[in-house]
Amino acid sequence: MDDNDRSIVGFVMIGHAMVHTYELSIPILMTVWLLEFSTTAAMLGIVVAIGYGLFGVGALPGGLLVDRFGPRTLISSCLAGMGLSFLALSLAPSVVGIAVALALWGVAASVYHPAGLTLISNGVEERGRGFAYHGMAGNVGIAGGPLLTAVLLLAFDWRLVTALLAIPAVIAAVIGMTIEFDPTAAADVADSDRERRIPTSLVGFAGETRRLFTLSFLLVFVIVSFNGLYYRGVLTFLPDLLGDFLTAAVGDIQLFSPDSPVAEKFDLAQYLYAGLLTVGIGGQYLGGRLTDTIEPERGLVIMLAILTAIGLLFVPAAKAGLGGLLAGSLVLGFALFAMQPLTQATIARYSIPESRGLSFGYTYLATFGIGALGAAVVGTVLTYASVSIVFGVLASFSVLGGLFAIALVTSQ
């Protein structure tokens, strides 16, 4: 990589890691908010679903904003907005305040993916390596965000923790506006000569949308929507669920003196959750390798079948003891993130090349926007039914997604 590539890749790696650090710190903070505000899982699930929903819904207009204002401006604005929203979160006086702060975070974070992917595509000569490092950084945030939040909560109140988490994003935003790089260095002649289809009006937007949504792409859209429901539904409440399973399996483990202030705040389940997300890095690698060996839509059928089996077997495995809980968590983390490269490859295969940005905008809307409803659904089911029913609902999401994936395979 040359200096320009390294500058861009370093910038987007920081941005991608930050987005997912904040995204996955929220479930850890939820375990504190449930006690702090004496609310229900159903209410908190709805509150969190607002922020996660805007994270997905905003991807579509975010893609259009990138074309108008440029990726550097959008990524820096994203970072600054996320930092300021977490600063506002630290001052939230109630559940309503948390809802407002998380909504602000969702709006700010929503523009990152279309902006980051555009910057790599147009500015990095070694695009393959750029996308690889970008994905790895995202996984570091996915695994590191919960771990960092859990460690900070051992020493500090949650309000101070959220304020501390705000600082690096604001610093990164300032650096992003001052660092030198050419955002179009890799835009080749073929790309510049190709007719561009950037909608400039509602009529143009509607026309390009109709052109994009073939039957095959519609099936892909539905598949990633059900995968998003499973993803968000399982990850949002998993720290709390793992705590219950651990207590049932091994009792109340005391790693610190009962008189220690650390003992009150230490939650072993949060570290199991972080470990599950770390295993997801291996899942990403497996999913990427599968895209090189089989048709990606067939890979989706396989992985959705595995996720269905996990939904049906996770609770019995967890109730069988510590070994079953660890094994179930390992397989869940691996399979959940193996889906991502398979869905991305499938989207690329069934979308129009000159409308690729719009296609990813719609599918990010499906994954993170429609998928955000998974938090509300699981929170409601968890409030009024058993954990077994929760995982049964998750299995139903993957079953439906798998059926549409089979339809996609057989339609060719």
Side-chain angles (χ1 to χ4, degrees), residues 66-197:
V66 171
D67 291 328
R68 181 169 182 178
F69 297 106
R72 179 204 293 268
T73 301
L74 266 294
I75 294 174
S76 295
S77 299
C78 163
L79 289 165
M82 290 193 301
L84 293 175
S85 66
F86 260 62
L87 185 60
L89 185 61
S90 71
L91 303 174
S94 64
V95 172
V96 174
I98 289 175
V100 172
L102 291 182
L104 294 173
W105 171 82
V107 171
S110 68
V111 303
Y112 175 75
H113 286 96
L117 295 174
T118 297
L119 185 54
I120 295 174
S121 298
N122 293 342
V124 177
E125 294 287 351
E126 296 188 46
R127 292 178 186 174
R129 290 181 66 187
F131 280 119
Y133 290 140
H134 180 258
M136 291 169 64
N139 279 298
V140 169
I142 286 171
L147 180 60
L148 175 63
T149 304
V151 170
L152 288 174
L153 285 172
L154 289 177
F156 307 109
D157 178 74
W158 72 268
R159 295 184 183 276
L160 180 56
V161 170
T162 53
L164 291 173
L165 289 173
I167 296 173
V170 175
I171 294 174
V174 175
I175 294 173
M177 292 303 295
T178 57
I179 191 173
E180 293 292 332
F181 58 76
D182 180 358
T184 60
D188 56 36
V189 175
D191 287 337
S192 61
D193 285 348
R194 181 186 297 152
E195 179 186 0
R196 298 192 70 194
R197 296 180 176 271

